Amino acid sequence: MVTGESIWRAIVLYGANSATYKFAFGATLLEVAATGRHHVTLEELAPRYAELLCQALKRQPRQSTASSSKFLDACRGFNAGELDRDTLHRRTVQLGFSNVIDAFPQLAGSQAPVRYYEDQRKNSANPGLLLRDELSELAQSAHAQDLDAETAARWRLVETAWATGISDAVLTPSLVYDSDTQHLVLQTKHRRKNVTGVVAALSGYQDGRCAYCNQPMPTPGPIVEHVLPWKLLTRSWKGPDVDAIWNLVLSCEPCNRAKWDRAPHETWMPWLEQRNNDLIESRHPLREVLMVQTGATAAIRHATLRLAYQRATESLPAVWTPPTGAHVS
Ligand SMILES: [Zn+2]
């Protein structure tokens, strides 16, 4: 379903970034719209927008892939005490919005199906942005705070990727999709997550059958199973977050009990790889998350999985062989 919220999430959380302006811009827009405003000028947006970018530059000097940016230079100047606040705000109005107002509503190169504002910068009587109801509803929804937290998490991830040169795929082992709330949740601690939300997300793919024995799963319903054991996280685990969707399947109770804290036999693992590839290729909502967690191409995902399996079985050598009739190759 295309909703104002899912499109907003797609704009802010997914997609390529050449600068982090959209995070600051999105956060500022939500804050303004939350106050019930329907029109805002660049002069009104500038202080908060610039503040967010100044804070970000203190965290991480690289906020753009471009070699230079006059606007970011102004923010740096303010941080260094070389520019006063009024000058920063004036420069922000002049320089800071030039691309982001046009670029923000773009999704994969075309206009997003939901519009949040109308660009009225050229309206001489009342210049600025007309904030549409879609934005007000989003800003005043119960999920607005989550969007804010997700934006902040995504922003830090992009910064980290640029600063380290490591792709975000490696850095985002713990971005999980909660299908109950349809949220991406960034997990920073090795704490067991509430994984019940993945049932809805995965049950369609498994067609009500156990991922291991391939038998129909009886009520009261499937169990969310960590393929590579969750217990790894209590050890000095160096692999990807095993408490994430790429490593979760639905299983019947007997298989869950029999498997316990063991990885499945390696002959079963291609099923998981195929499952993840199928979800990605079918443009499932989990597509982006799975790619971020395990790799953008099938070859990278294959390598990620193999390495994770190798490390898991080094740490916990005992493996469990699923029953006959199972998905083994
Ligand atoms: Zn089973």
Side-chain angles (χ1 to χ4, degrees), residues 17 47 64 71 92 96 131 137 151-152 155 158 163 167 169 171 184 189 214 227 240 276 278-279 301 306 315:
N17 296 286
S64 165
F71 171 46
T92 303
L131 308 180
E137 283 162 20
T151 303
W155 191 342
V158 169
S167 82
L171 293 168
L184 295 171
K189 296 217 172 66
N214 201 22
V227 173
N276 290 344
D278 288 348
L279 291 178
R301 293 192 290 274
R306 279 194 64 118
S315 180

Side-chain angles (χ1 to χ4, degrees), residues 37-319:
R37 300 276 303 271
H38 293 286
H39 184 275
V40 67
T41 63
L42 299 194
E43 286 75 10
E44 290 167 326
L45 287 171
R48 180 60 173 153
Y49 177 59
E51 182 188 16
L52 287 169
L53 282 160
C54 286
Q55 286 170 358
L57 284 164
K58 286 184 195 164
R59 271 196 316 262
Q60 173 50 249
R62 191 145 186 228
Q63 294 292 331
S64 165
T65 55
S67 54
S68 69
S69 155
K70 285 181 181 169
F71 171 46
L72 290 180
D73 286 345
C75 295
R76 288 188 190 98
F78 175 77
N79 281 348
E82 296 157 4
L83 221 67
D84 65 36
R85 200 173 290 275
D86 286 346
T87 311
L88 171 68
H89 295 167
R90 223 170 27 248
R91 298 250 175 105
T92 303
V93 171
Q94 287 163 357
L95 307 164
F97 297 101
S98 51
N99 294 321
V100 76
I101 289 175
D102 293 332
F104 189 85
Q106 300 283 317
L107 202 53
S110 51
Q111 179 74 35
V114 176
R115 293 177 63 196
Y116 300 99
Y117 54 83
E118 281 166 33
D119 181 3
Q120 304 214 323
R121 281 177 289 176
K122 295 200 173 81
N123 179 338
S124 54
N126 198 13
L129 301 182
L130 194 67
L131 308 180
R132 293 170 58 100
D133 290 345
E134 286 83 347
L135 182 65
S136 311
E137 283 162 20
L138 193 60
Q140 290 162 26
S141 81
H143 292 160
Q145 271 191 330
D146 299 324
L147 288 175
D148 206 43
E150 288 170 16
T151 303
R154 179 74 192 155
W155 191 342
R156 278 163 182 72
L157 187 78
V158 169
E159 284 171 2
T160 311
W162 289 343
T164 58
I166 300 171
S167 82
D168 9 351
V170 182
L171 293 168
T172 331
S174 50
L175 195 63
V176 292
Y177 179 78
D178 180 346
S179 68
D180 285 344
T181 58
Q182 301 196 338
H183 285 180
L184 295 171
V185 184
L186 195 73
Q187 229 34 62
T188 49
K189 296 217 172 66
H190 284 164
R191 201 174 44 208
R192 194 160 200 154
K193 295 161 201 160
N194 180 355
V195 290
T196 49
V198 303
V199 173
L202 296 180
S203 58
Y205 182 81
Q206 292 188 208
D207 200 21
R209 290 173 177 270
C210 171
Y212 297 117
C213 68
N214 201 22
Q215 294 301 306
M217 287 178 289
T219 48
I223 296 167
V224 177
E225 239 286 323
H226 294 77
V227 173
L228 302 182
W230 182 84
K231 192 180 180 183
L232 290 165
L233 294 180
T234 64
R235 312 242 164 151
S236 55
W237 172 243
K238 299 274 191 314
D241 186 356
V242 295
D243 202 9
I245 195 84
W246 69 272
N247 187 50
L248 300 176
V249 299
L250 305 179
S251 109
C252 71
E253 214 240 329
C255 285
N256 171 261
R257 218 166 344 110
K259 181 176 173 289
W260 195 231
D261 273 337
R262 292 180 288 178
H265 191 273
E266 62 181 345
T267 52
W268 180 86
M269 290 301 287
W271 186 87
L272 182 67
E273 185 176 343
Q274 188 66 49
R275 191 279 311 263
N276 290 344
N277 284 340
D278 288 348
L279 291 178
I280 287 166
E281 278 154 26
S282 68
R283 309 217 153 246
H284 190 274
L286 291 173
R287 168 189 164 86
E288 301 288 344
V289 180
L290 287 166
M291 289 171 73
V292 162
Q293 287 174 353
T294 58
T297 68
I300 296 174
R301 293 192 290 274
H302 179 73
T304 303
L305 231 68
R306 279 194 64 118
L307 187 63
Y309 187 85
Q310 189 190 327
R311 286 182 176 161
T313 48
E314 279 165 15
S315 180
L316 298 168
V319 298

Side-chain angles (χ1 to χ4, degrees), residues 15-32:
N17 296 286
S18 55
T20 58
Y21 308 142
K22 76 173 177 187
F23 301 122
F25 184 65
T28 305
L29 278 184
L30 279 181
E31 285 179 22
V32 170

